[in-house]
Amino acid sequence: MPSTKIFSKIEPTDKIGQILSAIQNSIIEGQWPPGTKLPSEKDMAKELGVSRFSLREALCVAEAQGLIKIQQGKRPVVISPSASPIKTMMSLVMKRTQENLLDLTKARAGLECVIAQVAAEKITEPELNNLEENITLMAINGRDLDYYVAKDAEFHDIILKSTKSIVFEIMLSSVTPLVAESIKMTLANGGIERANKMHREIFKALQKHDPALAGQKMALHMQYAEEDLQKVL
C-alpha cells in the first residue's frame, strides 16, 4: 500500500458511483497500470470511508467495465484495455433488429478503409504471408458456408491486428459477432468467389504498401457487401 493517500473520503450520497469514479481515476491517471494489484478491501474501504459492501459493489461494476479482474481469495488486478465489455453491449443492441446490420455495414465501411490505409504502412511480411495463406484457403471449393465466413472474418482481423492500434481494435472488435452475421448474409448472396477476388486485390495493395490503393480496394469491397446486404434485407 503506498504511503501517500490515493483517495478522498466519499460523501454519503451516491456512494457506489463515487467509489467507482475514484477507482476509474486511479487507473486512467496511471497510478495503477495494468498488472497492478489493488489495495486490500480493508485498506481501500478505510481510506474511502465506506463499507466493504459498498466497495465490493463498485469493484463489480469496475470489472464489468473491463477495468479490473476479480478472483476469489485474491486482490483485484488492473487489466489492459479490452474490447470485450463494449462487444457485449453492442451485440445486445445490434441483435434487436436486422435493420441494424445495414447501418453496421455502412459504418464499418468507412472504418475498414481507414484501417486498410494504416495497415498498408505498418503491415509486416509475416502478416502478409498470413493474408496470402488465408486467401488460398478461402479459394478451396466444397466447404460449408460457415468455413468461408470464418476465413472472411479472419482476413479482416489480420489487417486490423497489423495496425497495432488498440483504438481500431476496440471500435471494430466491439461489433465482431454482428459483422460475422453480416458477412454470412453477403457471402450467401454475393458469392464467395467475388469476395475472395476482392481480398486478393486488397492484399496486393497492402503488399505494395500503398495506403491510397488499399483504401480504394477496401471501399469497393465494402460497397459490394452493402449492396448484397440490401438485397437480402
Side-chain angles (χ1 to χ4, degrees):
M1 180 79 180
S3 57
T4 57
K5 287 187 66 175
I6 296 174
F7 303 116
S8 300
K9 293 286 185 182
I10 295 297
E11 297 299 323
T13 58
D14 189 24
K15 284 187 178 181
I16 307 301
Q18 291 182 69
I19 298 168
L20 180 61
S21 180
I23 294 169
Q24 290 171 335
N25 289 339
S26 295
I27 294 173
I28 292 169
E29 291 170 5
Q31 295 183 52
W32 292 338
T36 302
K37 290 183 179 179
L38 271 60
S40 68
E41 280 189 5
K42 180 181 177 182
D43 289 339
M44 288 180 69
K46 182 179 179 180
E47 191 170 334
L48 289 163
V50 299
S51 69
R52 291 174 74 167
F53 175 80
S54 296
L55 175 61
R56 285 173 192 151
E57 289 288 308
L59 289 172
C60 286
V61 177
E63 183 178 42
Q65 292 180 343
L67 297 173
I68 62 173
K69 178 69 176 175
I70 298 174
Q71 292 181 296
Q72 191 171 2
K74 298 180 180 180
R75 286 189 289 166
V77 178
V78 179
I79 58 177
S80 299
S82 167
S84 296
I86 303 173
K87 185 187 299 185
T88 301
M89 180 187 70
M90 288 292 290
S91 294
L92 292 172
V93 172
M94 298 293 289
K95 283 180 179 177
R96 295 182 66 179
T97 171
Q98 281 193 333
E99 291 178 4
N100 286 334
L101 288 178
L102 187 56
D103 291 336
L104 169 64
T105 302
K106 290 178 179 178
R108 179 188 164 211
L111 184 58
E112 287 274 15
C113 291
V114 175
I115 288 172
Q117 290 170 345
V118 174
E121 297 176 340
K122 295 186 175 183
I123 197 163
T124 63
E125 282 301 314
E127 289 164 337
L128 285 169
N129 292 337
N130 289 339
L131 279 181
E132 191 167 28
E133 181 182 6
N134 171 277
I135 292 167
T136 300
L137 291 173
M138 193 170 173
I140 297 173
N141 295 321
R143 301 294 179 91
D144 61 25
L145 183 58
D146 286 339
Y147 170 85
Y148 299 108
V149 171
K151 289 302 170 189
D152 192 303
E154 181 185 69
F155 176 85
H156 290 275
D157 189 57
I158 294 169
I159 296 174
L160 171 63
K161 295 289 175 52
S162 75
T163 66
K164 286 78 175 176
S165 169
I166 185 63
V167 175
F168 286 149
E169 188 171 346
I170 289 173
M171 291 174 73
L172 196 56
S173 295
S174 63
V175 292
T176 295
L178 279 300
V179 169
E181 188 175 339
S182 173
I183 290 172
K184 192 168 188 175
M185 289 184 178
T186 55
L187 287 183
N189 188 72
I192 297 157
E193 186 177 341
R194 185 176 73 174
N196 207 30
K197 178 178 179 294
M198 289 306 307
H199 285 185
R200 184 163 291 281
E201 290 187 17
I202 293 166
F203 166 74
K204 288 177 179 177
L206 293 172
Q207 198 174 35
K208 293 177 180 177
H209 298 283
D210 187 332
L213 185 59
Q216 177 188 337
K217 295 298 183 182
M218 183 64 80
L220 183 59
H221 180 39
M222 297 307 298
Q223 180 186 326
Y224 288 150
E226 184 180 337
E227 290 171 357
D228 292 336
L229 191 59
Q230 282 178 327
K231 292 173 186 175
V232 176
L233 299 178

